[in-house]
Amino acid sequence: VKDEREFDIILWGATSFVGKLISRHLFHRHGIDGDLRWALAARNPARVETLQQSLGEEALSLPVLIGDAFDTEFLREMAARTRVVLSTVGPYLTYGEPLVAACAAGGTDYCDLTGEVPFAQRMMDRYGADAEASGARIIHCTGVDSLPSDLGVAFLNDFAVRECGAPLQSVEMHVRAFRGGFSGGTLASFLEVTALAQKDPGVTRMLRNPYALCPPDQRTGVRQPELDMLGRSEVDGRWLHPFFMAPVNTRVVHATNARLGYPYGQDFTYTERQAAPNQLAATVRHLVMAGLMLGMSNGAGRSLLARYLFPKPGEGPNESVRNSGYFKFVFHGRTRNDRRVTGQVTGDADPGYGSTAKQIAEAAFHLAREVPRTRVAGGFWTPVSALGLGLVDPLVAHAGLRFEAKHAD
Ligand SMILES: NC(=O)c1ccc[n+]([C@@H]2O[C@H](COP(=O)([O-])OP(=O)(O)OC[C@H]3O[C@@H](n4cnc5c(N)ncnc54)[C@H](OP(=O)(O)O)[C@@H]3O)[C@@H](O)[C@H]2O)c1
């Protein structure tokens, strides 16, 4: 039976750039003989040992599993030993499928950091029935994409229902700060998605669908605001430009809505853009971003960028960049009874790595301990639809996040 499994969490990809930060968080928060039974898993034993040494003497006694992302027998055994597999092995389109298949078949809960929408949709369509049958809860996008957006909307909706007596009708989210860096792994994953879209027009269509991550029979809905526009906010007049994570985050927010039976209503609209201090800054950032996207849209551009501009897999922002990083998302909501509410989610470390590591570690712990199958059955879920607002307190207590909501009229 599931509760008798040897581990609560196996961290798969412990030696990735972000995996090392997750290991550090789990080690400092839970130690090795504490309230969490956990293990490290990766493909290279020497790299795991270096990681253990960097954590400290005690970490050398953490259990270790060694195997390859394509070794299905190894993955099946790993999945059978734990309640939750937390995976950082990406690009997920390249490495992720055999593990999702093993977890879905073995009744093992799973969470990851993918922001690759085609991967998440494909996994749901291929393994949804297996997960429902086995009881495995599979959750993608459990880092800065898309946990803060997903929880930020749910938190504001909860406030709206309690304080205004009606749920949200629409939310305009402004990214007011996003300071940190990128890792080679993240950029490799971006390149993977753009390469796939270039090859397959079906993927381009999927990426344009705001409802792409909803369950298969719920992938349509009202027209959503465009995300690729430069312009001024109707709420506060700020200059806004496209936010690179919006094409993932908005899909996750709509998937939560669909998964939970439309608590925000079937005609809910949601948009995310990044705020700039003035028109010039917004325009320059927009042009730089558009240039990068153009560069990534063909094979030659992708290899040039990967070779000369982007960090290599395994590399990422250094400690001082991570420590001085932070993010601030502001959610401007309108309720169904026409009241204005504002929410805010902030994080105390660089969003993509320092903060993401803490977020997914807390999410995995919460999934292992606080989400019984009687409440959330097997299947493909989003962070909020599986983990709920109960995740807010641990994120505030242990992951440096803050949540606020207030009236704005
Ligand atoms: N959603 C978010 O907010 C967010 C934030 C950060 C990262 N991410 C995603 O997380 C993923 C990891 O990012 P990263 O920068 O940490 O990447 P990374 O450092 O390049 O790590 C990739 C990992 O995959 C492992 N790996 C590669 N091939 C393997 C194989 N055949 N078998 C087993 N393991 C294999 C590598 O093992 P070795 O260590 O042995 O090389 C490494 O641990 C990326 O997909 C990235 O997009 C998402």
Side-chain angles (χ1 to χ4, degrees), residues 149-193:
S149 301
D150 200 19
L151 264 180
V153 173
F155 189 84
L156 188 62
N157 191 60
D158 182 60
F159 176 84
V161 169
R162 281 187 291 107
E163 299 287 326
C164 308
L168 296 167
Q169 162 89 58
S170 64
V171 174
E172 183 180 305
M173 193 276 259
H174 297 179
V175 177
R176 294 269 291 274
F178 198 84
R179 190 157 145 192
F182 286 103
S183 72
T186 295
L187 293 163
S189 300
F190 256 120
L191 294 177
E192 193 73 22
V193 174

Side-chain angles (χ1 to χ4, degrees), residues 268-290:
F268 172 72
T269 59
Y270 180 65
T271 183
E272 284 191 356
R273 282 187 291 170
Q274 191 160 355
N278 52 50
Q279 182 175 12
L280 178 65
T283 311
V284 170
R285 290 186 199 168
H286 182 44
L287 290 176
V288 170
M289 193 68 180

Side-chain angles (χ1 to χ4, degrees), residues 15-18 43 47 68-69 88 113 144-145 183 186 189 314 352:
T15 55
S16 71
F17 184 77
V18 68
R43 63 173 165 175
R47 283 174 61 83
D68 190 272
T88 79
L113 290 176
V144 73
D145 52 337
S183 72
T186 295
S189 300

Side-chain angles (χ1 to χ4, degrees), residues 377-394:
F380 279 70
W381 297 88
T382 57
V384 161
S385 60
L387 306 169
L389 287 173
L391 185 59
V392 167
D393 285 347

Side-chain angles (χ1 to χ4, degrees), residues 13 19 30 75 95 106 120 132 136 187 190 203 212 218 223 234 247 259 261 306 346 364 390 408-409:
H30 303 283
L75 297 172
Y95 300 114
E132 281 167 26
L187 293 163
F190 256 120
V203 169
Q218 290 166 271
R223 198 184 167 81
E234 283 175 18
R259 242 338 194 145
T346 57
D409 51 11

Side-chain angles (χ1 to χ4, degrees), residues 177-181 321-322 324-327 349-352:
F178 198 84
R179 190 157 145 192
V321 172
R322 295 201 308 271
S324 62
Y326 60 90
F327 68 90
D350 78 294

